[in-house]
Each structure stands twice: as structure tokens, then as C-alpha cells.
Amino acid sequence: MDSIVLKSFGKINLGLDVVRRRPDGYHEVRMIMQTVGLCDTLVMKKTAGKAVTMRCDLSFLPTDRKNLVYQAVELMKEKYHISSGITVDLKKRIPVAAGMAGGSSNCAAAIKGMNELFGLNLSKEEMCEIGVLLGADVPYCIWGGTALAEGIGEKLTRIPPIPDCWILIAKPGISVSTAFAYKNLKLDQLERHPDIDGMIRDLEEQNLDGICSKLENVLETVTIPKHPIIRELKEHLLEHGAEGALMSGSGPTVFGIYKEKRTARKALESLRSIQDVKQAYVVEPV
Ligand code: ATP
């Protein structure tokens, strides 16, 4: 095999709780992760020579060692003594730096791609061990689907998928860095925590109303006061038929959950009136 095309899916968080801040500065989390049908595409090819080269259709993204895809390819080349050159062509649709783990997902896809291209026969566990060296969310992106992520995000437990629904994803034109959100979280001042265990029960019972009533993300206590557009967007989605709405990850992407595709599409249309929304899609859970 000389080339491979990979889909790299984004995720949303149905619940995001921070349990404690570790002495090393990392945060222990409990997150319910759900893959959604919004994806980037990677085309990976073997080339003559030894170099790793990368292209991306978004000119502002790095295509050198700063890109997680590049890092994954280099790491695997070294670990498995691969001498061949490799080019990666990345087409982005997942909003960047937006709480949808786009970079981690691309990294996971590159690890899977290297495994296939060079017939490494790595197990999922082995690929996760490589992934966690590059980012706490990468092992989840290798798994995909619905999972509880604990530890710093790398301890994974499979849970049943969200029942059939439509998800409207809306990314406002502001940037929130993950580091900013976690650094400014006042953990000891939180008045409430998401009911992650209750959400898991609702997923086991396939109770969409229960799930929608428990959507909660502690990082909203940081991002909403700074960027009121996040609250406004959530309210807009709820006023336009969403069963529930939440900010994903460290934001600023907001999603709404809909029972009917028609309602979700109407809500998508209604976002045209909000100038601050830069990207919006209706997708299904994957
Ligand atoms: P998370 O939800 O894991 O916090 P995110 O969705 O907030 O992730 P990303 O889209 O992964 O954020 O991008 C964060 C930063 O990572 C970007 O500013 C970008 O410079 C860098 N980056 C490195 N590789 C990639 C990649 N392949 N795609 C997107 N961003 C990348």
C-alpha cells in the first residue's frame, strides 16, 4: 500500500467536570465524549527520500513540527525504524482551537494511517500508548464513539452511544485557548458539578431527555463571563427547538441536540442572523 485516505472526526463533550488540580498543573477530569459526523480528511502517501512533508488547506495552521500530525508521523518513523518519506495532505472542516479536539483527532488518524501504510499491526492499546505521548485526548480519538474519559483524559471506559439525534454545531468567531480556560477555572468556588454518573445511566437507558437535561460543562464558568456570545448562542439554540445546548470542551464551539432533522436545519438557517457565527453544521453522532 502506497497511500491511504483517512477521515478524522471531531468530538463534543456531553459532560465535562474537573475533579482536581494535580501538583504538576494538570487537571483530573471526568468527561463524556461523543464523536460527531464532522470530519477533516488526511491523505497520507509514501514518497521517495526520507522527509516528512505536510500541506494543509488552512494557511494559518503550522505544517511543521508544531502540527500534531507531523509529530505523530515523525514519532512513528523513529519508533518503528521507517526510512520512507511521507507526505500528508490535510483538509480541515473541524473548527480549529474550538473545543472539538480537531488536532488530537488528526493526530489519531495519522497514527492509524502509519499503522496501515507500513503494516505495523499495532493493537488499539499500542496506538493509544503512542497517542498519549502527543496529547491527553488522542487515545480517545483513536477509540472514537462514546466514552467516559478520566485521569487527564486518557483513562477510557466505553459507554453506550447517544440515542439517534441531530446535533447543530456553531462556532463563534472568538478564540479561547484550552490553557486559558483551565488556568482560570476556580475549582474551589464551583457551586455545582455535572451529574456525570447520572448521564452515564441515561446513556445506558437510552434516555435522550435525561441526557439533554444533564448537559453541563464546568469550563463555561470561565468562558461565558468573558464571552457572552457563548450564552447567547446556547439560548438561541434552545429558543429554536434544541432539547439541550452546551459549550464543547474549552469552547468556544456550542452545540444543540435536536430530535428532528427539520428542526435542526431550521435552527441552522436562523443562525444566519447572528453575524458572530463563523462555522455551523448539522451532523449526526458517529
Ligand atoms: P481540544 O478540544 O483538544 O482542546 P481544540 O479543538 O480546542 O482541542 P485544536 O483544533 O486541536 O483545538 O487546535 C489547537 C491548536 O493546536 C491550534 O491552535 C493549532 O495551532 C495546533 N494544532 C496542531 N496540529 C493541529 C492540527 N492538525 N489541526 C488543528 N490544530 C492543530
Side-chain angles (χ1 to χ4, degrees):
M1 186 192 284
D2 285 331
S3 72
I4 186 166
V5 180
L6 300 125
K7 282 186 176 172
S8 166
F9 290 94
K11 62 87 183 155
I12 55 170
N13 295 97
L14 300 176
L16 193 160
D17 195 13
V18 176
V19 183
R20 80 182 179 103
R21 189 172 271 135
R22 300 195 320 196
D24 61 6
Y26 279 97
H27 290 81
E28 265 174 36
V29 293
R30 292 191 86 212
M31 309 189 284
I32 300 192
M33 321 284 273
Q34 173 66 58
T35 304
V36 292
L38 175 62
C39 68
D40 298 338
T41 310
L42 282 85
V43 181
M44 300 179 74
K45 286 189 185 136
K46 290 181 188 171
T47 56
K50 294 183 176 179
V52 179
T53 50
M54 193 178 166
R55 278 193 305 247
C56 179
D57 60 346
L58 291 185
S59 56
F60 62 84
L61 271 186
T63 50
D64 57 9
R65 284 196 175 82
K66 290 196 206 90
N67 199 299
L68 285 166
V69 168
Y70 195 105
Q71 290 174 28
V73 173
E74 279 229 311
L75 182 66
M76 291 186 73
K77 255 173 78 81
E78 197 181 308
K79 190 170 165 71
Y80 298 103
H81 311 291
I82 295 166
S83 58
S84 167
I86 291 137
T87 68
V88 186
D89 225 311
L90 174 61
K91 287 206 167 53
K92 294 290 295 183
R93 278 185 86 218
I94 304 171
V96 175
M100 294 193 70
S104 304
S105 168
N106 296 166
C107 181
I111 293 171
K112 288 182 181 174
M114 290 295 284
N115 185 41
E116 291 289 320
L117 262 185
F118 294 97
L120 302 174
N121 283 318
L122 301 177
S123 65
K124 199 168 76 178
E125 290 70 28
E126 287 170 309
M127 290 194 279
C128 287
E129 277 169 27
I130 298 167
V132 77
L133 301 172
L134 300 168
D137 284 346
V138 179
Y140 162 71
C141 293
I142 288 169
W143 276 40
T146 314
L148 170 68
E150 295 173 292
I152 58 165
E154 86 295 10
K155 287 189 192 138
L156 300 171
T157 310
R158 178 66 71 206
I159 43 183
I162 189 169
D164 287 347
C165 62
W166 296 90
I167 298 166
L168 171 48
I169 286 164
K171 153 80 173 48
I174 49 168
S175 303
V176 180
S177 88
T178 304
F180 167 85
Y182 278 96
K183 217 169 109 195
N184 288 283
L185 178 67
K186 306 257 183 321
L187 200 48
D188 47 358
Q189 287 172 26
L190 287 179
E191 282 162 14
R192 43 181 292 141
H193 284 267
D195 182 5
I196 299 288
D197 294 319
M199 169 88 68
I200 293 170
R201 275 195 300 278
D202 287 333
L203 284 159
E204 282 164 352
E205 289 162 12
Q206 294 288 283
N207 175 0
L208 189 60
D209 291 333
I211 294 164
C212 290
S213 71
K214 294 185 183 66
L215 298 174
E216 206 171 328
N217 177 346
V218 292
L219 297 177
E220 285 186 349
T221 61
V222 180
T223 55
I224 286 184
K226 189 155 196 289
H227 302 289
I229 179 73
I230 294 172
R231 183 195 298 283
E232 285 159 30
L233 257 179
K234 283 177 65 176
E235 283 167 1
H236 183 96
L237 299 186
L238 291 168
E239 280 160 16
H240 288 78
E243 306 291 328
L246 192 69
M247 181 185 81
S248 184
S250 51
T253 300
V254 168
F255 67 89
I257 297 180
Y258 295 80
K259 287 185 177 164
E260 305 289 337
K261 185 178 187 182
R262 205 164 36 98
T263 322
R265 293 218 63 95
K266 270 193 173 167
L268 177 73
E269 287 295 312
S270 74
L271 287 174
R272 284 176 199 267
S273 63
I274 306 182
Q275 277 185 349
D276 283 336
V277 175
K278 298 298 173 209
Q279 278 175 281
Y281 307 92
V282 171
V283 295
E284 284 181 282
V286 178

